[in-house]
Amino acid sequence: TARRTTSSVVTRLTLIQADCCEEARQVFERAEKNGRSGATVQGLAACSKKLGRAEEAISTYRRWLEEHPDDVAVITELGLTLLELSRWNEAKEVLERGRALAPASIAILANLGTVYRTMFKYAAALEIWETARDLDPDKPELLVNLGSLYRDLGRTREAEVILRRAIELRSAYA
């Protein structure tokens, strides 16, 4: 059974990566009927998003969270989807719930910081991104966000230091 499950997950991920979303969606829907998991829900929602059906993805995430309110991975994906749709207040609410469940989740903190910055709540964005930076000081994308916020707040020296560090880290990945 474990081998079949692993094979099934690999098949679904391969279909998504190959942009065969309609086929992947059908595979996920069959899997969902046989007992869904958080990964199945995420895959089904990812396919919906790729096919331009963001509302369907949101609905899929929310239905799952009704039964599994502590699924941080699904909360993160729902928050990101709402963020991508510029639904700031909903994204903030979802990501704050995720933050309460997983205060050290870099993905939740990064996305929540983006929500607050977009809502012009710079102090909140700064606190969240600094917390995330303290948890993972080597994440270039996070450092770029924090550095640009420092720059916008007139903290040019801090911005320069942190943006140089982000460039160093990105160069190391190249």
Side-chain angles (χ1 to χ4, degrees):
T1 305
R3 182 175 212 165
R4 194 171 130 218
T5 302
T6 302
S7 174
S8 178
V9 169
V10 169
T11 300
R12 292 180 231 156
L13 293 175
T14 302
L15 287 169
I16 290 172
Q17 291 170 346
D19 281 334
C20 301
C21 261
E22 198 51 53
E23 294 90 344
R25 228 178 104 56
Q26 292 168 8
V27 171
F28 278 114
E29 284 174 347
R30 281 194 303 275
E32 187 174 32
K33 288 177 187 169
N34 295 326
R36 52 189 176 152
S37 68
T40 301
V41 168
Q42 287 178 288
L44 182 58
C47 287
S48 296
K49 284 172 58 175
K50 260 193 160 175
L51 292 169
R53 301 176 188 161
E55 290 303 323
E56 189 176 291
I58 290 168
S59 179
T60 299
Y61 290 135
R62 289 187 196 249
R63 277 194 317 272
W64 176 258
L65 290 171
E66 285 174 9
E67 297 173 26
H68 306 88
D70 296 343
D71 190 328
V72 175
V74 172
I75 288 170
T76 303
E77 290 301 319
L78 174 58
L80 179 59
T81 301
L82 293 166
L83 175 63
E84 290 168 346
L85 294 173
S86 303
R87 290 166 59 173
W88 315 123
N89 286 321
E90 289 175 85
K92 179 179 74 102
E93 180 182 313
V94 167
L95 292 168
E96 281 291 3
R97 184 172 67 172
R99 182 182 182 195
L101 293 168
S105 169
I106 300 301
I108 287 175
L109 293 172
N111 291 326
L112 187 56
T114 300
V115 168
Y116 278 119
R117 181 175 187 174
T118 304
M119 295 174 79
F120 304 104
K121 296 183 177 186
Y122 299 127
L126 184 63
E127 180 262 322
I128 289 166
W129 280 340
E130 285 179 336
T131 299
R133 185 237 7 238
D134 292 346
L135 292 167
D136 188 354
D138 294 331
K139 192 147 191 85
E141 300 83 8
L142 184 59
L143 296 177
V144 168
N145 288 341
L146 185 56
S148 67
L149 182 56
Y150 281 153
R151 182 196 64 224
D152 292 350
L153 294 173
R155 295 167 62 174
T156 54
R157 179 67 187 130
E158 290 167 290
E160 182 181 321
V161 169
I162 205 161
L163 290 171
R164 282 185 194 274
R165 177 69 181 141
I167 291 169
E168 289 170 11
L169 289 168
R170 281 195 174 163
S171 297
Y173 290 133

